[in-house]
Amino acid sequence: MNPPRTLFSRFIILAIGLLLTHLAQSEAATRPETPDIAGLVRRLGSTDFKVRELASRELFRIGLPAKQPLLEGANDPDPEVRRRCRDLLPRILEADRQAKLAAFLADTDGKLKHDLPGWERYRKIAGEDDAARRFFADIQKGDVAFLRDAEKDPDHAGERCGALCQLLIQRQQAFQFRNGRVESTQIPLTEIAPMLLVAADAHVRIPVQQRYLFTNLLYQPAVQENLRKSGISPFKKIVLAWMEHEVYDETTSGSLFHVINQLGLKEGLDMALKAVRSKKLKGPGLAGALVTIGKFGDKEHVELMESFLDDKTAIGGFNFGRANGGNVGGNTQVRDAALAMLVRLTKQSAKDYGFAITEIQPALDHLMDYANCLGFSSEERRTKAFEKWKTWKAARKK
């Protein structure tokens, strides 16, 4: 046995233990004290007003980490605790949102990652340049609960999207008829954009009974004004992304191409070509796509258009009132729209082919953009028109 060595070993162990204890105490002294959030929530029910006020201020300062205890406190048996928790919750959430938004706007170089609702989805469609970031910030200033819910529960995003669209349109209609008179109201772009952003997702399906409502949004004055402008805005990018998703749908395609043609959206040409070549469209949707190709295309699309000259699918009827009295009525088939666009692409006269729109006095040239108006007032006129095309084509080959 060697006592000196044993004593030395014990001394070393004791010294190490003392050193570790000292380090632990030093770390504890410098480490920020973890707030007792549950205790602060309990103090909201104190009989002392000052204690209650101090607890409220401290919980607000803590911010988002206090969310869950406050949610629990919102159902506390003590009415004062319930009231203060329910008052603090929205204030804390709003302060957190404003802080995140301020950080987003300050990050002009886009170097930081942001968890604002919808940002990742938005930037892929609308981009992240200055204009895109400013518009996204405007969206975030409104109610973004819908975007947050769409991210958390994508399986039900389509149902929520349809319900929100219906709610906004009903709200607008309710405001239009107030105090016994009609008032002009609009749905802001910042409320329309989030819905179209979510609806543009290929995995999101809007319920059939609400799908048509989305095309109604495109007739909002603010929407039409934005889409008519030259260039491509962040909002227009979102609309086009949604349109690309919807042009294959029989319930909406006809209306979408109608809007594209009416507003002169040249970006619709590629959509129309893809939709027609996919052979998924029929009836009004197909006729609308053909009009888009005829409006924005050129002679290289003649052969594609000719492939629909045998399609007798009816797309609707028409009844035009003459300026000097009387009506011009008839019906339109897909092949009529195809022929009208062939006449347009080859720069011939629609009047020479006897289309019903040329029987109106004065003639309304803009009706060439409306597929359902491109029919004939009689079967005899239709037959002559198709015969004329064959004659013209044969003459061109000689």
Side-chain angles (χ1 to χ4, degrees):
M1 186 160 180
N2 193 341
R5 181 175 294 178
T6 302
L7 288 173
F8 180 74
S9 299
R10 290 177 178 175
F11 173 77
I12 292 298
I13 292 171
L14 179 61
I16 293 172
L18 290 172
L19 178 61
L20 292 173
T21 301
H22 174 72
L23 290 174
Q25 290 173 344
S26 298
E27 183 182 354
T30 57
R31 186 190 304 128
E33 183 178 350
T34 303
D36 180 12
I37 299 176
L40 288 169
V41 172
R42 287 195 298 273
R43 287 180 212 170
L44 295 176
S46 172
T47 56
D48 189 328
F49 175 76
K50 290 184 178 179
V51 172
R52 297 198 301 271
E53 285 294 293
L54 285 172
S56 289
R57 286 198 290 270
E58 182 62 16
L59 284 166
F60 183 77
R61 185 193 66 78
I62 292 169
L64 211 55
K67 177 181 177 181
Q68 188 56 41
L70 286 172
L71 283 170
E72 295 171 3
N75 295 311
D76 194 271
D78 188 321
E80 182 67 13
V81 174
R82 289 200 305 271
R83 184 185 71 79
R84 287 180 175 263
C85 285
R86 291 172 184 178
D87 176 63
L88 278 167
L89 267 170
R91 290 172 53 204
I92 286 175
L93 294 175
E94 179 59 22
D96 178 69
R97 184 173 74 137
Q98 292 298 332
K100 289 179 178 178
L101 185 56
F104 173 80
L105 291 172
D107 180 26
T108 54
D109 296 328
K111 294 180 178 180
L112 303 178
K113 186 175 182 180
H114 302 278
D115 63 348
L116 292 169
W119 171 238
E120 289 304 314
R121 185 195 301 262
Y122 176 93
R123 64 193 287 267
K124 291 177 182 177
I125 292 176
E128 48 188 329
D129 58 19
D130 288 343
R133 293 172 71 84
R134 285 196 302 271
F135 185 60
F136 182 74
D138 289 340
I139 291 173
Q140 292 294 310
K141 292 174 184 176
D143 185 1
V144 293
F146 165 69
L147 286 174
R148 190 181 299 112
D149 291 342
E151 290 181 343
K152 290 182 179 179
D153 187 11
D155 292 340
H156 296 92
E159 296 171 13
R160 289 195 178 96
C161 203
L164 178 59
C165 183
Q166 184 171 348
L167 178 64
L168 287 178
I169 291 176
Q170 288 176 343
R171 187 186 69 185
Q172 181 198 29
Q173 292 172 343
F175 279 118
Q176 282 180 331
F177 298 95
R178 290 190 300 180
N179 302 323
R181 61 182 182 181
V182 178
E183 299 181 6
S184 177
T185 62
Q186 295 186 32
I187 303 175
L189 296 184
T190 51
E191 292 188 20
I192 295 174
M195 289 188 295
L196 297 184
L197 188 65
V198 171
D201 190 318
H203 301 292
V204 171
R205 295 301 295 166
I206 308 299
V208 175
Q209 64 271 26
Q210 294 166 328
R211 209 170 294 164
Y212 74 96
L213 294 173
F214 285 78
T215 58
N216 290 352
L217 296 174
L218 301 182
Y219 291 95
Q220 292 286 317
V223 173
Q224 298 225 335
E225 180 184 356
N226 187 284
L227 296 180
R228 287 183 190 276
K229 290 179 180 178
S230 59
I232 183 161
S233 66
F235 179 76
K236 184 184 283 190
K237 289 179 182 178
I238 293 172
V239 172
L240 292 174
W242 169 70
M243 283 182 169
E244 287 179 1
H245 177 39
E246 291 294 317
V247 291
Y248 301 99
D249 190 295
E250 282 296 325
T251 61
T252 57
S253 56
S255 297
L256 287 184
F257 284 118
H258 174 79
V259 172
I260 288 171
N261 300 331
Q262 179 192 15
L263 298 181
L265 293 177
K266 295 180 179 180
E267 297 85 357
L269 176 59
D270 286 340
M271 279 187 256
L273 288 170
K274 289 177 183 177
V276 168
R277 288 167 178 160
S278 73
K279 297 183 179 180
K280 294 180 180 179
L281 292 182
K282 297 178 180 179
L286 174 58
L290 294 177
V291 172
T292 301
I293 297 170
K295 183 178 178 68
F296 301 114
D298 51 40
K299 290 183 179 180
E300 72 174 80
H301 302 116
V302 166
E303 185 177 349
L304 175 64
M305 202 70 67
E306 283 188 301
S307 65
F308 294 95
L309 290 180
D310 293 325
D311 190 336
K312 298 181 180 180
T313 305
I315 63 173
F318 56 83
N319 196 323
F320 306 129
R322 297 180 187 272
N324 56 355
N327 295 321
V328 176
N331 62 79
T332 307
Q333 301 173 0
V334 169
R335 61 173 179 164
D336 299 341
L339 178 60
M341 292 306 104
L342 283 168
V343 170
R344 194 177 207 175
L345 289 171
T346 55
K347 302 189 184 306
Q348 297 184 70
S349 169
K351 186 174 181 62
D352 292 342
Y353 280 79
F355 286 97
I357 56 174
T358 64
E359 296 182 53
I360 306 172
Q361 296 298 327
L364 303 176
D365 293 338
H366 71 279
L367 292 179
M368 285 290 285
D369 293 340
Y370 296 81
N372 63 304
C373 296
L374 301 177
F376 297 89
S377 57
S378 69
E379 195 60 36
E380 181 183 359
R381 282 179 173 268
R382 177 178 284 122
T383 301
K384 287 181 178 180
F386 281 88
E387 287 299 325
K388 181 173 178 58
W389 171 258
K390 292 177 182 178
T391 301
W392 182 88
K393 185 180 177 183
R396 296 286 291 182
K397 289 182 177 180
K398 292 181 180 179

